[in-house]
Amino acid sequence: MFIDRDGTIMHDADYCSDPKQVQIFEGAAAALSRLKKAGYKIIVITNQSGIGRGFFTEKHIARWRPRVSRQLGDNLIDVTYFCPDPPGQPSKRRKPAPGMVLEAARDHDVDLGHSFLIGDKEIDAECAHNAGVRAIRVRTGFDKMTGDSCADWVAEDLPAAAKIILKATK
């Protein structure tokens, strides 16, 4: 299970580097818990161009992880991959490129044919398809217009996406 962070698990705070900006969406912890109990590894895949733009450093990113874990509950997220590359530069890891998903799949023995990627932006759905996984786009980010999305499914939020996955894999 690949999941975007900003706008999907937590409110999108532009260039979040301060732990005080972390606000997990209601129902996110329960949704991740259901997926975890169903046997999914939870792997966060997130673009963090604020690093490449010089707004903050990788040390700042490390500061929000404990806050996310506290708000979600320990042991729900197995691992986080982030890409510091800014837009406009060639990158094999920055979504919609599949690099982070492919790297995580190799590192954690993930079967991409049985995987999903949940995200709030069209680049998340494109990344999923570029990596060969099914895409669910949620309407909890800044861009709630999903009428022309290439995602396999559209859901209101992470709990609704979890329901889609659990129903699709019965």
Side-chain angles (χ1 to χ4, degrees):
M1 183 62 49
F2 301 99
I3 303 179
D4 174 57
R5 184 191 78 166
D6 302 331
T8 304
I9 294 174
M10 61 180 254
H11 291 273
D12 196 341
D14 271 340
Y15 307 110
C16 179
S17 62
D18 184 342
K20 293 176 187 168
Q21 293 174 296
V22 173
Q23 292 182 311
I24 301 299
F25 285 119
E26 185 175 332
L32 293 177
S33 180
R34 283 193 303 278
L35 293 169
K36 192 85 163 172
K37 286 177 185 168
Y40 286 99
K41 293 178 184 176
I42 307 296
I43 301 172
V44 172
I45 303 291
T46 179
N47 286 344
Q48 293 298 317
S49 70
I51 296 168
R53 295 173 194 232
F55 298 158
F56 49 86
T57 67
E58 288 186 27
K59 290 179 185 175
H60 289 98
I61 294 291
R63 290 181 17 208
W64 56 253
R65 285 190 185 139
R67 179 109 177 194
V68 171
S69 290
R70 272 195 308 277
Q71 288 186 30
L72 282 176
D74 288 334
N75 303 318
L76 280 182
I77 295 175
D78 291 292
V79 66
T80 297
Y81 286 76
F82 68 90
C83 178
D85 302 338
Q89 289 185 352
S91 176
K92 293 181 181 180
R93 294 183 81 240
R94 181 177 172 75
K95 293 181 287 181
M100 287 188 286
V101 172
L102 298 176
E103 181 182 346
R106 278 190 307 272
D107 292 350
H108 300 279
D109 194 30
V110 172
D111 179 354
L112 294 175
H114 290 95
S115 297
F116 296 82
L117 191 152
I118 304 169
D120 67 305
K121 294 181 178 74
E122 195 61 16
I123 61 168
D124 297 312
E126 292 167 4
C127 176
H129 291 155
N130 290 338
V133 304
R134 292 167 284 181
I136 301 177
R137 181 145 172 224
V138 294
R139 292 186 177 115
T140 47
F142 289 137
D143 184 8
K144 296 179 184 351
M145 303 303 291
T146 58
D148 60 349
S149 178
C150 72
D152 299 294
W153 296 274
V154 173
E156 286 304 311
D157 54 17
L158 186 55
K163 285 181 186 175
I164 289 170
I165 291 164
L166 295 172
K167 184 177 179 181
T169 57
K170 279 188 176 182

